[in-house]
Amino acid sequence: MSEPKVTNLLCPFIPAQHPQSEKVEHDAVARWAGRLGLKPRDRDYVKLSRSRFAWMASYAHPSAQRERLDSVVDFIIWLFLWDDQFDSRIGGELVSPTALYIQNALATQVLEGTTPNEDSSTLFWALSDMRTWLDQNMPGEWMERFRKSFVAYFDSLGWELQQRHQCLVPSLSTYMEMRRMTSGGYWVTHLIEVPGVLSWLAEGKFSEIG
């Protein structure tokens, strides 16, 4: 077998990082550790701090206002925490489709403005806080697009869980199409607009603001 040939990859963009990236990272870990009641010695605390979500977002949005960057970071962290709830590799057992549907339906209601009850989990309250911030800082048209992408994400999680319960293997084309949603790819894409540097155009591309 011949050796694989590796060619150099050219990135046309000059790397840039937000000047407060380390502070953003530190504050994000502290904020979510507080929400989740985690201590530095806890395994989940170590996992959270090693994920470096804020560090990643700081490269994606090097010129964002600090408050808006924090909002992007919070949603990324929320996505991974939400997804981990239904990962059998973590919990050891597949969640039932009915239980997943109920959780997703409740999260959708929160995203649409319903206030969680006092017994709701930390993730519901965090989602409520984040939605309130978006309501105050993002236009209604964007909020509707974001809500629809979230619903598509929730629906795709249900599809994925059904596949796993039935031990089905989807075709590659189906998997690739659904993976865009099960990974949260669509609604994470909408987060690109939160820093206020780019806006989404009707023809399906971003335009620089200002």
Side-chain angles (χ1 to χ4, degrees):
M1 180 181 296
S2 61
E3 291 291 327
K5 183 179 181 181
V6 179
T7 59
N8 293 328
L9 297 178
L10 174 63
C11 177
F13 306 104
I14 300 175
Q17 189 175 20
H18 196 279
Q20 298 184 52
S21 59
E22 291 300 326
K23 175 71 171 166
V24 173
E25 179 71 37
H26 175 273
D27 291 352
V29 171
R31 185 165 62 249
W32 279 92
R35 280 172 168 164
L36 300 170
L38 301 177
K39 303 299 182 183
R41 292 185 178 180
D42 294 339
R43 184 179 67 175
D44 286 342
Y45 181 97
V46 175
K47 178 181 177 181
L48 175 64
S49 62
R50 288 179 177 176
S51 298
R52 304 297 301 274
F53 294 119
W55 179 85
M56 175 183 68
S58 293
Y59 272 106
H61 307 288
S63 60
Q65 295 179 10
R66 172 62 196 274
E67 181 184 17
R68 290 178 174 267
L69 181 58
D70 285 342
S71 180
V72 171
V73 172
D74 281 343
F75 265 106
I76 294 174
I77 292 176
W78 189 94
L79 169 67
F80 279 86
L81 292 174
W82 185 261
D83 188 70
D84 279 355
Q85 295 181 108
F86 314 114
D87 193 335
S88 61
R89 293 170 299 177
I90 296 175
E93 183 177 332
L94 277 178
V95 173
S96 74
T98 300
L100 175 63
Y101 172 81
I102 292 173
Q103 291 298 301
N104 286 343
L106 291 173
T108 299
Q109 292 177 7
V110 171
L111 194 64
E112 292 174 344
T114 299
T115 300
N117 61 50
E118 59 182 14
D119 297 323
S120 295
S121 72
T122 299
L123 291 183
F124 284 118
W125 283 105
L127 182 61
S128 179
D129 290 343
M130 293 186 294
R131 181 203 57 79
T132 298
W133 186 92
L134 290 175
D135 266 344
Q136 297 170 351
N137 291 274
M138 298 300 291
E141 181 273 334
W142 182 91
M143 287 293 294
E144 180 60 17
R145 280 192 284 119
F146 188 65
R147 185 193 67 79
K148 288 181 178 178
S149 68
F150 234 115
V151 171
Y153 163 68
F154 287 144
D155 289 345
S156 71
L157 292 182
W159 170 85
E160 183 178 48
L161 188 60
Q162 288 283 7
Q163 300 288 303
R164 296 172 70 182
H165 267 287
Q166 298 174 32
C167 298
L168 298 175
V169 179
S171 67
L172 180 59
S173 60
T174 298
Y175 175 80
M176 293 298 291
E177 178 64 29
M178 294 301 295
R179 186 57 182 160
R180 299 174 186 178
M181 291 181 282
T182 59
S183 65
Y186 283 132
W187 71 260
V188 168
T189 298
H190 290 305
L191 289 179
I192 292 175
E193 295 174 78
V194 171
V197 179
L198 299 172
S199 65
W200 182 254
L201 301 179
E203 57 267 31
K205 61 183 180 180
F206 287 101
S207 175
E208 188 170 356
I209 297 175

